[in-house]
Amino acid sequence: MSQRKRAAKNQRPKVIPIRLDATFFFERAVQSLDRYHYDKALKYFRRAVEYEPENPVNHCNMAGILSEMGRYEESNVILRSVLDQIDPAMTECYYYLANNYANMELFEAAEDALVRYLENDVEGQFLEESDELLDLLNYELNRPTKLATIKAKENIYAHDKARELLEAGRFAEAVKMLEEIIARKPDFLAARNNLGLAYYYMGLFEKSVATISEVLATEPGNLHALCNLAIFYQHSNQRELLDSLVRKLNKTVPFHPEHVFKMATTLGIVGQHREAYRHFHRLLRTGELIDEPSLHHFAAIASVNLQRYEEARKHWQQAERMDPQSPVPPYFLKRLDLVRQGTESPPTHYHYHLPFEEQFKRWENSPAQVTEALKGDPLIRSSFFWALRHGDRRTKVQVIQALGLVADEEVIEALKSFLIDPDEEDELKRVAVLVLRSIGMQDALTVMFSGRTITLEARRKSARLPVWDSAWQTVLEHALEGMSGRYDVVQQHDMMTLWVDYLSRVYPEVPKLHKSTGWAAALEYWTAKMHRRTVTYADLVNRYGVSQASISRYANRIDEACGIREKLDLTRPSFH
């Protein structure tokens, strides 16, 4: 072959072959749709279906074109074949069917298809359009549509319920529900935020921080997560981390009223009263949330801490006018002059309820009133759980005893969680164990004492005590003090269980406990005998400062009610 021929051959244009597949015909169909050439688009979608008959999207595209062309019955045949034969999980087909039936004025069939869509579709792609179609069907059928649930909104409904549980102080239930929501929808950040709060209220600090950190990893500017984290740092005394976070918050200017309110209360809680004051007054100036008495209360708290006493007075007076049944505004108005004179410190807690000391003072002689408040007022209930974790020692003792009056599942879970918190005092845990036993909780209990986890074995069930009297607590404290260093935790627990058992058996005819140390010595006496420990009356007289006759008398009373000597004789014949 000549050189010229070879050159000509090399210069021939290259032919690129067309690859005829589903993608090729899909693209041609879309181009035809853009030009409103429906016939051509339908032809190309049919070819795409021929190449990929198992792909439900191609079938739905073909059904969509037929619907656009007014060929609703043909469209429905294809949609039903997708649901029956190709992909039953493609629930949006029910929405397409509902639209076709509505256009055919078959409103009953449209309603059935729409209900199937709403009750089965998880993603909720056509929720807004479904609302409009529901309105049309309600009008045409002259009745509301019966819906068991809207699947796509289940997580939203569940989240709302979890928030109610959280506000009611039912933290364990809220945690369970929020964990289930996140398992179904990991990107539901609001649920993850509230889960972090619930963990925190339950004292699970590390889990709460980890959960909030997950939110911030996805959305670094999430205001609720940042505010929650600031409160966590405040109560765990992580000052350096808190200061850094507060600087970040102070550079943030929220616009939504709820975000402004969240920012203001958070800054107040962490001691940034000036910035909190600024945000509260933003809300008051704009008229947002102005009908909330709590907003005026919080603005008053911030004002007092900035020595704006007259402003504080006006805010509390306004809160009193708006909420005349609440004891909160009048209480703080009475204290205002004392703060102004410097004889009392300004209030720093941003909660719309009385301080715990005042609440307990009012309820001191009325257990029924405590029970009613804890069961009937979610805010008070929530504040009690908060104080269980963050109050001072005296407050925690009062809270533990008060929670025993309610004794529902949430209280039991909260106290059991308290028992394994390494940061709580052993003495407080002993009070919690005693209250759990006194309310009839006789299952085995896991407790962390002095950094060591132990299991207190289950006890036989005894009658539940309706109250826990301070005189009974005094006996217990004397016994624990006398036994300290001589008996292990399990033996001390057995002593506590014996005391609860005795009180349960003789209640309501509990004798006057004039000599609490004598009763305490009697409890140690029987505890030693049950554990085959050597103890003499002389030891007890010396340590408790009571006579042998008193110890013997009280020991006999306990034995008469509980039958200890008989049980020991049955189980240990050699004991004398």
Side-chain angles (χ1 to χ4, degrees), residues 11 136 240 253 417 454 532:
Q11 291 174 3
L136 171 67
E240 197 171 319
V253 182
S417 175
I454 67 165
R532 307 188 77 172

Side-chain angles (χ1 to χ4, degrees), residues 64-184:
I65 292 295
L66 289 167
S67 183
E68 289 287 338
M69 297 171 71
R71 296 160 65 176
Y72 303 118
E73 186 52 50
E74 292 176 69
S75 174
N76 284 351
V77 169
I78 294 171
L79 292 170
R80 282 193 290 266
S81 72
V82 171
L83 290 167
D84 294 340
Q85 302 167 21
I86 301 172
D87 187 1
M90 203 161 183
T91 49
E92 58 264 44
C93 289
Y94 290 116
Y95 172 74
Y96 302 142
L97 282 166
N99 267 286
N100 285 343
Y101 284 131
N103 283 311
M104 297 164 70
E105 298 189 1
L106 299 173
F107 299 116
E108 296 275 2
E111 182 184 51
D112 290 341
L114 189 60
V115 168
R116 291 286 295 275
Y117 169 70
L118 291 171
E119 291 184 350
N120 291 280
D121 186 76
V122 176
E123 297 302 323
Q125 181 182 355
F126 300 108
L127 279 182
E128 290 185 16
E129 294 87 345
S130 294
D131 284 340
E132 294 177 8
L133 186 52
L134 274 175
D135 288 340
L136 171 67
L137 295 175
N138 292 347
Y139 175 77
E140 294 292 345
L141 296 171
N142 196 30
R143 59 172 172 75
T145 297
K146 291 183 180 179
L147 269 171
T149 184
I150 297 179
K151 188 75 172 179
K153 290 185 177 181
E154 278 185 348
N155 287 328
I156 297 172
Y157 295 151
H159 181 240
D160 289 342
K161 175 62 177 175
R163 284 180 60 185
E164 291 175 11
L165 292 172
L166 204 56
E167 290 167 0
R170 296 162 64 183
F171 304 124
E173 292 177 65
V175 162
K176 184 180 178 182
M177 187 170 286
L178 290 165
E179 286 176 339
E180 289 172 354
I181 293 170
I182 291 169
R184 293 192 299 265

Side-chain angles (χ1 to χ4, degrees), residues 200-357:
Y200 179 63
Y201 288 133
M202 293 177 70
L204 305 173
F205 182 75
E206 290 182 4
K207 291 184 77 170
S208 64
V209 172
T211 304
I212 295 300
S213 298
E214 289 168 358
V215 176
L216 293 172
T218 304
E219 190 179 297
N222 188 291
L223 185 66
H224 281 277
L226 291 170
C227 289
N228 290 340
L229 198 57
I231 293 171
F232 297 171
Y233 288 154
Q234 164 80 2
H235 287 281
S236 59
N237 202 29
Q238 299 188 53
R239 178 53 56 182
E240 197 171 319
L241 290 171
L242 175 61
D243 290 345
S244 174
L245 188 50
V246 165
R247 285 194 293 272
K248 185 174 184 178
L249 289 173
N250 283 335
K251 293 176 183 177
T252 306
V253 182
F255 291 100
H256 193 281
E258 287 187 8
H259 289 172
V260 179
F261 189 77
K262 177 76 172 180
M263 174 78 88
T265 52
T266 299
L267 290 172
I269 289 169
V270 301
Q272 298 289 308
H273 303 294
R274 190 170 301 281
E275 293 301 316
Y277 173 88
R278 183 167 61 86
H279 288 298
F280 285 131
H281 275 263
R282 274 182 61 198
L283 291 171
L284 291 167
R285 282 198 308 272
T286 58
E288 301 286 355
L289 307 178
I290 198 168
D291 294 331
E292 285 288 333
S294 61
L295 174 59
H296 291 276
H297 171 68
F298 297 152
I301 296 288
S303 300
V304 167
N305 282 277
L306 296 173
Q307 299 182 358
R308 300 172 183 259
Y309 301 118
E310 286 310 310
E311 284 189 49
R313 188 183 303 279
K314 289 177 183 176
H315 285 306
W316 273 317
Q317 287 172 341
Q318 180 62 18
E320 188 174 31
R321 284 191 289 270
M322 296 169 68
D323 190 8
Q325 303 303 315
S326 172
V328 175
Y331 171 80
F332 284 99
L333 279 168
K334 287 179 182 177
R335 316 303 295 181
L336 183 58
D337 288 334
L338 297 175
V339 174
R340 194 167 192 167
Q341 294 163 13
T343 58
E344 191 170 292
S345 299
T348 56
H349 69 285
Y350 284 74
H351 302 290
Y352 190 54
H353 57 67
L354 294 173
F356 270 88
E357 297 77 9

Side-chain angles (χ1 to χ4, degrees), residues 449-467:
F449 282 127
S450 303
R452 187 166 63 94
T453 302
I454 67 165
T455 300
L456 302 176
E457 65 181 44
R459 297 296 176 195
R460 65 175 185 76
K461 196 165 184 67
S462 61
R464 180 187 183 280
L465 291 172
V467 293

